Amino acid sequence: MSKKFSQTEASIQSVTERRGVYFRKVKERIIESLMYTISLSVIAAIFCIFLFVGKEALPIFTGKTNSALVQDPIKPEDIDKYSPEQIRIYLGLPKSKFKKLDKETLIALLEVKMEAFKEIPENFKNDKDARVNTTQWKYLIFPHQWTGYDKPVYIWQPVSNIPKYNIMPLIVGSLKVTLIGLLFAVPISVGAAIYVSQLAKPAIRETLKPAIELLAGIPSVVIGFFALLVMASWFQSVFKYEIRLNAFVAGIAMSFALIPIIFSIAEDALYAVPRSIINGAYALGASKWQAAWQIAVPAAFTGILAAILLGFGRAIGETMIVLMVTSASEMTWNIFQGARTITATIAAEMAEVVFGGPHYRILFLLGTLLFGFTFIANIVAQVAIGKFKEKFEGLK
Amino acid sequence: MDIKINYRPVWGLKTKKFYISSHFFTALTAICGLIILFILFLILSHIFINGFKHISWRFLTTIPQTDFFNVETTGILPHIVGTTLKVFIMTIFGVPVGVITAIYLSEYSSNTSKTTRIIRSAVNNLAGVPSIVFGLFGLGFFINFIGQNIDELMKYQEPVWGKPALIWASLTLAVMTLPVVIVSTEEAIRATPPGEREASYALGATKLQTIFNIILPRAFPGILTGTILAVSRAAGEVAPILFTGVAYFMADLPHKLTDQFLDLGFHVFVLSTQSPNIEKTKPILYATVAVLVVLTFTLNLAAIFIRARIRRKQRASE
Amino acid sequence: MKTKKLNAVTAGMLGMALAINTAQAATTIIQKGSDTLVILAQKWAEVYMSKNPDVKIQVTGGGSGTGFAALQNNTTHLCDASRPIKAKEIQACITAFGKRPTEYKVALDGLSVYVNSENPIKELTVEQLELIFTGKIKNWKEVGGPDAPIVLYSRENNSGTYEFFKEHVLKGKDFASSAQTMPGTAALIQAVGKDKNGIGYGGAAYGTGIKHLLVKKDAGSPGVEPTEENVVNGSYPIWRYLYIYVNPAIDKGEIHKYIEWILSDEGQAVVKEVGYYPLPKNLRINK
């Protein structure tokens, strides 16, 4: 807007009008920056998840927790001989809580800890692992021979006098169930996706696609319920294995939840392959199947791969189905035996932990690992989809 | 002429083997599709056959006062109300944030700016976070951080905000379903005909006026679809609310935002695994599952229906 | 026209929200904890509320550990527990509200050992149970049964039942890693009922559909059945108290009246109805 008005023009455009337009522009700018800030909330959400979940697990990463059964007890009378920091670590309290406690309370706490020490049965006090800090990384990952076992084993048994926090059985359990789920879901969903996008008549496509996507409308609790009440018994009567609730049943139930996701994305990827390429194949004499299998699928390959990756991410993170169907936390790759996934462990055990204790932190550690893993899987899938779109930019 | 032109008619170019293999694979993949439909049919029929006979008007509208586990006297009204409140509050908080983000992404920012790409990437990532991690997030952020700080600020003796409550569960679900709303809204905004937008600018409207008077009303069905899909997803989710607000038994409906609540999905979980007498409570379990599935399915079907209508309108106007 | 409809809907929803918010709330008592106790707690709540309509009681399960965690975080008034509080948890309570929580014994319970009703075994000693559940005895024929592998069923580790069994029967040793964890006693019973080679344990109140084993203190004693008499006089080896813990600072007024009622004859009659064993009068200590 030119600032050079002649006298007449200035009097025509009244002061209030000009001010109104000016204010409107300011208002718009303010609203725009407000919108910008709100949009950043998505990034803030991801960041906060990382921050708050990782914060609780941090002491395990830095080695500051100590879950040893027998620690040299500090007698309440000797409270002044130790520095506050030593007492804080002995009591296992976070800094914020420690600050709020007065001396009397601290003495009461030390007394309680002395009582606890006296309560420990003798055979545990003299156990070779009694003084071991079981939250150290080497106990979380590598097998160890605990008392009462005849060889080094991977054990997750966190509620015990000597808590065992080895996370390998949980990781193996998660992978077992996920792989079975994918093994069952991928061929079926990709096959159906090829059919619906390439081989079916448009009329069939219109009805079949929403029908299959309707499967996504079943909550995972309901799938878990169905697996527990119906599938588990039926499978056992057909396959006649020993353990009714095993990784196989969980995997098949999991695949019901994965099929809609993999189908949706794979079908979109296949449908997005430009018609010109496929028509070209027809022109050269290919049959419908040949065009679909030899032209469309390789073209949409990165998209299909992204679909499988997203299915994998969903499977690793699925909670309710595995919570209802899985059982033992044994370290075995046998699919007809029990399995315990990371997600089910967190869901089942989080409610019972002492807030701030080693078990609590290990569960948050598992959550952080899970989140980190799905985050990476997602980024890889995004890059794949990006590359896929680039390929066909410009072709229609 | 004695030249033998050895040619086969066009339709004979394709040998029988060719046809057979093509038909075979088509049939194979079609069977894959049918397997999926069969699974869907199996689950639904099993639930409905066993569940519908136990649903009655009394069942849907009683607050159970005595004998929670007796199918004759129990009711799931508190569960229905709890689930409804949970998604309702989630919608109030989640949909505006999602719509505003989508508007910003499609109207204001340029597609190549770094912020846009990070926001888009964050939306995709949020969609892939496991539901139990959302539960941990709700616990660690909303309850332990925000809730406890509110309690300290207001100097309450007992934790009022710093404990599992309806509001925190709803907010956790709002964060979880944000990607669905954003993606649907963006899709809807992109689909508005550019002609109308240009016309609005030509008439002298500012960007904000265009958005609120032209684009949003046009995109409304799409936003509605996104909201319905988010609601349908959240209604069935149990993992995020496990430690952020759900209770096992409550004598009354929740009155305040800081109350706990009962939930249909959690009730299914409890009845399947922790019921005192599995045979006796089976009818209640099936009935609750039937109600939950009817709820999510109606919502999904509504969303699909609206989406189909939008697509038809689009194709008609092209 | 569309905006009018939208306005109406929004107004209606806001109205509903406001109505819910301003509705009056009576005294609310929150009770959380043991799944063993949750049926009992819910029955107590029902009966008490029918007599005192201005008190509302909310009950949640989750395991004894959940109850203690909630007690420490001040997110519950009463904590139900099927095992006594541990020193670590007392510590956390002192850190949270400065005093030890008050312990009330509210009922007696006998832990039954369940096997499938087709299993010919009728009784086992406590030591045999220990060896079975730690995985040292793997086959039924080692204890006099058919030649079949033993399939173990156990509880989640947030369960007080799990901890009690571990401490008193397994003497602190770990369960065998092949033991399948069931999320609730009913699920465990259902699983054992469907598995001829299964063995599991749980609160005596839930025992329907399978059979209880008689438990012998040692090889020389007779097998004892988990009945009320045997549990009250202590001859059944695997018995325990059921507890309620409460922060002493809030143990007054309505909450204390409720606990008093639980310890009264009326409350203990409910205990019997649900299937646990009421405390003999001399043990009903009201602090």
Side-chain angles (χ1 to χ4, degrees):
Chain A
M1 192 161 39
S2 165
K3 287 207 171 130
K4 293 203 170 119
F5 296 112
S6 70
Q7 281 290 55
T8 36
E9 282 179 56
S11 57
I12 291 173
Q13 194 169 31
S14 74
V15 173
T16 42
E17 246 182 49
R18 257 183 290 159
R19 216 182 279 157
V21 173
Y22 176 67
F23 276 147
R24 202 166 358 133
K25 277 218 158 136
V26 168
K27 189 175 81 172
E28 297 236 334
R29 289 250 171 90
I30 295 181
I31 294 190
E32 184 177 332
S33 19
L34 208 68
M35 284 191 168
Y36 178 63
T37 331
I38 294 185
S39 312
L40 292 181
S41 65
V42 188
I43 304 181
I46 294 269
F47 184 65
C48 280
I49 296 181
F50 248 136
L51 184 68
F52 283 93
V53 175
K55 176 177 88 145
E56 302 287 347
L58 201 58
I60 305 269
F61 283 112
T62 55
K64 287 248 170 72
T65 48
N66 190 349
S67 65
L69 178 63
V70 174
Q71 300 170 25
D72 290 315
I74 297 182
K75 301 203 192 74
E77 312 86 72
D78 299 336
I79 186 173
D80 296 315
K81 292 194 193 148
Y82 295 88
S83 72
E85 187 60 19
Q86 281 177 308
I87 299 209
R88 184 183 78 79
I89 294 188
Y90 173 70
L91 289 173
L93 292 169
K95 287 199 181 123
S96 50
K97 282 204 180 144
F98 188 72
K99 266 191 295 186
K100 296 190 203 151
L101 304 173
D102 59 350
K103 193 155 177 192
E104 252 181 58
T105 333
L106 285 177
I107 296 188
L109 285 172
L110 288 173
E111 279 170 7
V112 171
K113 210 141 182 190
M114 275 300 288
E115 278 173 31
F117 182 69
K118 296 198 182 110
E119 269 174 17
I120 303 172
E122 276 307 311
N123 57 334
F124 279 103
K125 263 197 211 154
N126 301 325
D127 193 305
K128 67 173 168 57
D129 294 320
R131 285 177 184 270
V132 161
N133 178 1
T134 54
T135 57
Q136 294 169 318
W137 278 106
K138 67 172 182 189
Y139 294 104
L140 293 182
I141 303 187
F142 299 112
H144 179 86
Q145 181 163 7
W146 308 93
T147 339
Y149 293 91
D150 22 299
K151 55 181 167 62
V153 279
Y154 299 92
I155 293 282
W156 168 266
Q157 205 157 124
V159 175
S160 174
N161 272 317
I162 301 179
K164 301 167 181 68
Y165 294 121
N166 198 308
I167 59 179
M168 296 312 282
L170 305 177
I171 297 183
V172 166
S174 278
L175 285 176
K176 252 204 290 193
V177 177
T178 307
L179 289 174
I180 297 175
L182 283 177
L183 211 64
F184 194 69
V186 166
I188 294 189
S189 346
V190 174
I194 296 178
Y195 177 72
V196 166
S197 63
Q198 304 294 326
L199 305 169
K201 304 196 194 44
I204 299 188
R205 178 170 194 265
E206 291 294 305
T207 43
L208 206 57
K209 184 162 149 72
I212 294 181
E213 291 185 341
L214 214 56
L215 193 58
I218 300 187
S220 49
V221 169
V222 175
I223 298 180
F225 144 83
F226 185 71
L228 181 61
L229 258 64
V230 176
M231 280 170 57
S233 313
W234 187 79
F235 276 23
Q236 188 168 42
S237 58
V238 167
F239 291 100
K240 300 208 192 328
Y241 42 62
E242 241 162 58
I243 299 183
R244 195 172 74 101
L245 295 176
N246 52 35
F248 180 67
V249 176
I252 304 283
M254 174 86 81
S255 67
F256 292 175
L258 298 177
I259 286 177
I261 298 177
I262 303 180
F263 172 81
S264 257
I265 302 184
E267 203 273 339
D268 280 341
L270 283 164
Y271 196 67
V273 173
R275 286 311 289 179
S276 54
I277 300 182
I278 304 193
N279 286 333
Y282 289 153
L284 287 170
S287 72
K288 262 194 157 172
W289 168 254
Q290 280 180 330
W293 183 246
Q294 292 177 7
I295 306 292
V297 169
F301 191 65
T302 39
I304 298 182
L305 211 63
I308 299 179
L309 253 162
L310 286 172
F312 183 76
R314 171 79 198 265
I316 284 267
E318 176 56 54
T319 309
M320 294 317 293
I321 298 180
V322 286
L323 186 58
M324 292 164 91
V325 184
T326 56
S327 47
S329 67
E330 228 184 331
M331 173 79 165
T332 164
W333 284 100
N334 184 341
I335 60 171
F336 291 111
Q337 290 190 345
R340 197 69 163 140
T341 64
I342 299 178
T343 46
T345 310
I346 299 178
E349 300 184 6
M350 181 52 82
E352 83 103 357
V353 288
V354 176
F355 274 38
H359 192 186
Y360 172 85
R361 300 209 183 278
I362 299 254
L363 288 179
F364 268 91
L365 175 87
L366 285 170
T368 320
L369 286 176
L370 195 62
F371 179 52
F373 188 72
T374 46
F375 188 74
I376 295 178
N378 258 306
I379 299 233
V380 173
Q382 279 177 51
V383 168
I385 295 188
K387 283 219 175 104
F388 173 70
K389 287 205 179 129
E390 265 177 38
K391 243 207 283 187
F392 294 119
E393 218 95 283
L395 285 169
K396 256 303 145 90
Chain B
M1 280 258 220
D2 254 327
I3 306 170
K4 261 201 182 144
I5 303 176
N6 204 4
Y7 88 110
R8 287 168 285 172
V10 170
W11 54 262
L13 257 170
K14 305 188 163 99
T15 58
K16 247 195 187 152
K17 186 175 164 201
F18 186 79
Y19 273 133
I20 289 178
S21 83
S22 172
H23 281 232
F24 172 71
F25 283 110
T26 311
L28 197 67
T29 48
I31 290 179
C32 289
L34 284 177
I35 291 181
I36 302 180
L37 287 183
F38 175 67
I39 295 174
L40 184 64
F41 175 70
L42 192 69
I43 298 181
L44 287 181
S45 59
H46 182 83
I47 293 175
F48 289 151
I49 291 178
N50 288 319
F52 271 156
K53 55 184 173 218
H54 300 291
I55 300 183
S56 61
W57 185 246
R58 181 202 55 78
F59 184 69
L60 292 174
T61 54
T62 332
I63 301 178
Q65 298 290 2
T66 58
D67 214 350
F68 196 46
F69 290 108
N70 185 344
V71 71
E72 310 281 314
T73 57
T74 190
I76 53 170
L77 182 66
H79 303 87
I80 299 181
V81 168
T83 310
T84 313
L85 281 176
K86 160 183 93 164
V87 297
F88 177 60
I89 299 179
M90 170 201 93
T91 314
I92 293 186
F93 284 102
V95 170
V97 172
V99 169
I100 292 179
T101 311
I103 295 177
Y104 180 78
L105 280 178
S106 51
E107 293 291 313
Y108 282 99
S109 64
S110 72
N111 258 338
T112 48
S113 87
K114 199 150 184 221
T115 333
T116 319
R117 276 193 289 176
I118 297 184
I119 296 183
R120 285 246 162 80
S121 172
V123 170
N124 280 324
N125 268 309
L126 208 57
V129 175
S131 43
I132 194 75
V133 174
F134 274 115
L136 290 177
F137 168 67
L139 183 64
F141 180 65
F142 286 122
I143 297 184
N144 285 344
F145 184 65
I146 295 192
Q148 283 182 1
N149 281 332
I150 296 183
D151 278 342
E152 273 180 36
L153 272 172
M154 313 268 276
K155 301 218 184 341
Y156 288 129
Q157 291 287 43
E158 274 185 11
V160 171
W161 292 93
K163 63 172 168 55
L166 177 62
I167 178 112
W168 304 133
S170 308
L171 283 175
T172 310
L173 286 172
V175 175
M176 194 177 90
T177 51
L178 215 48
V180 176
V181 177
I182 294 179
V183 166
S184 299
T185 313
E186 242 197 301
E187 219 183 270
I189 292 181
R190 270 173 213 280
T192 52
E196 290 198 14
R197 201 176 299 192
E198 314 268 317
S200 165
Y201 287 140
L203 287 170
T206 63
K207 199 156 194 170
L208 213 62
Q209 286 175 327
T210 315
I211 292 180
F212 277 102
N213 292 317
I214 309 291
I215 297 184
L216 274 191
R218 272 275 171 189
F220 185 68
I223 301 179
L224 196 62
T225 316
T227 314
I228 295 180
L229 285 173
V231 165
S232 154
R233 169 107 193 262
E237 280 288 334
V238 178
I241 60 174
L242 274 178
F243 359 104
T244 47
V246 72
Y248 172 93
F249 169 73
M250 269 172 60
D252 214 355
L253 302 178
H255 290 291
K256 305 196 285 283
L257 284 175
T258 53
D259 275 344
Q260 296 188 305
F261 62 101
L262 294 179
D263 179 72
L264 283 170
F266 185 66
H267 198 56
V268 170
F269 172 64
V270 161
L271 285 176
S272 305
T273 54
Q274 291 166 18
S275 130
N277 187 339
I278 292 196
E279 288 307 313
K280 209 168 108 174
T281 55
K282 244 190 198 169
I284 311 178
L285 173 58
Y286 273 103
T288 316
V289 173
V291 171
L292 180 62
V293 171
V294 162
L295 183 68
T296 49
F297 260 61
T298 321
L299 290 169
N300 265 21
L301 281 172
I304 292 177
F305 184 64
I306 299 179
R307 206 176 241 172
R309 248 186 42 182
I310 299 175
R311 292 234 173 103
R312 241 179 291 150
K313 268 202 202 155
Q314 274 182 358
R315 252 179 273 150
S317 66
E318 268 167 21
Chain C
M1 196 192 20
K2 253 192 185 151
T3 33
K4 266 205 202 144
K5 244 203 278 185
L6 195 62
N7 280 337
V9 169
T10 327
M13 288 181 171
L14 278 173
M16 197 169 92
L18 271 168
I20 294 179
N21 251 325
T22 52
Q24 279 292 47
T27 325
T28 316
I29 303 183
I30 305 182
Q31 203 174 356
K32 246 191 202 177
S34 164
D35 286 328
T36 306
L37 271 168
V38 81
I39 306 302
L40 181 55
Q42 183 242 317
K43 201 74 195 171
W44 272 330
E46 272 174 20
V47 177
Y48 190 74
M49 283 194 293
S50 64
K51 304 206 161 114
N52 302 280
D54 54 334
V55 178
K56 300 267 182 251
I57 308 180
Q58 290 180 12
V59 176
T60 311
S64 305
T66 314
F68 287 124
L71 192 65
Q72 293 153 24
N73 301 326
N74 257 329
T75 51
T76 183
H77 297 117
L78 303 174
C79 159
D80 304 326
S82 56
R83 59 164 170 84
I85 194 170
K86 288 205 270 215
K88 248 195 310 185
E89 286 150 346
I90 301 183
Q91 236 190 311
C93 285
I94 297 183
T95 317
F97 44 78
K99 304 204 187 79
R100 290 168 189 255
T102 321
E103 172 187 289
Y104 291 100
K105 299 191 171 74
V106 291
L108 281 169
D109 182 24
L111 267 191
S112 291
V113 179
Y114 302 113
V115 292
N116 191 289
S117 27
E118 287 179 17
N119 194 319
I121 304 256
K122 290 211 180 51
E123 52 185 26
L124 288 172
T125 63
V126 176
E127 197 194 329
Q128 283 175 314
L129 287 175
E130 179 192 329
L131 293 171
I132 289 178
F133 275 96
T134 50
K136 299 284 190 305
I137 296 184
K138 295 201 203 298
N139 194 308
W140 281 111
K141 67 173 189 263
E142 297 176 55
V143 289
D147 182 10
I150 302 183
V151 183
L152 297 170
Y153 291 93
S154 171
R155 290 288 308 279
E156 299 272 0
N157 56 27
N158 58 355
S159 154
T161 314
Y162 169 94
E163 294 210 47
F164 180 81
F165 198 79
K166 190 177 213 207
E167 222 177 285
H168 286 100
V169 177
L170 301 187
K171 311 279 189 294
K173 304 208 187 79
D174 292 339
F175 280 92
S177 59
S178 59
Q180 299 190 54
T181 46
M182 297 283 121
T185 308
L188 190 149
I189 289 183
Q190 196 194 35
V192 172
K194 294 197 171 157
D195 185 349
K196 345 197 267 308
N197 302 324
I199 183 170
Y201 59 90
Y206 297 88
T208 47
I210 26 54
K211 74 175 189 191
H212 312 255
L213 281 182
L214 304 177
V215 180
K216 312 197 285 200
K217 265 206 215 41
D218 49 53
S221 331
V224 182
E225 219 187 303
T227 62
E228 178 175 352
E229 208 191 301
N230 293 335
V231 168
V232 172
N233 67 29
S235 56
Y236 183 70
I238 322 177
W239 65 269
R240 56 182 177 169
Y241 288 110
L242 297 177
Y243 303 91
I244 289 188
Y245 288 90
V246 64
N247 178 350
I250 59 171
D251 187 10
K252 46 190 189 280
E254 287 298 338
I255 295 182
H256 193 76
K257 274 211 303 205
Y258 181 51
I259 298 182
E260 266 181 35
W261 178 86
I262 289 180
L263 292 171
S264 72
D265 287 333
E266 264 181 44
Q268 294 295 306
V270 175
V271 171
K272 190 145 182 187
E273 218 182 285
V274 174
Y276 292 107
Y277 311 120
L279 284 172
K281 285 225 164 61
N282 58 326
L283 287 174
R284 297 184 204 169
I285 307 165
N286 200 336
K287 300 188 191 161

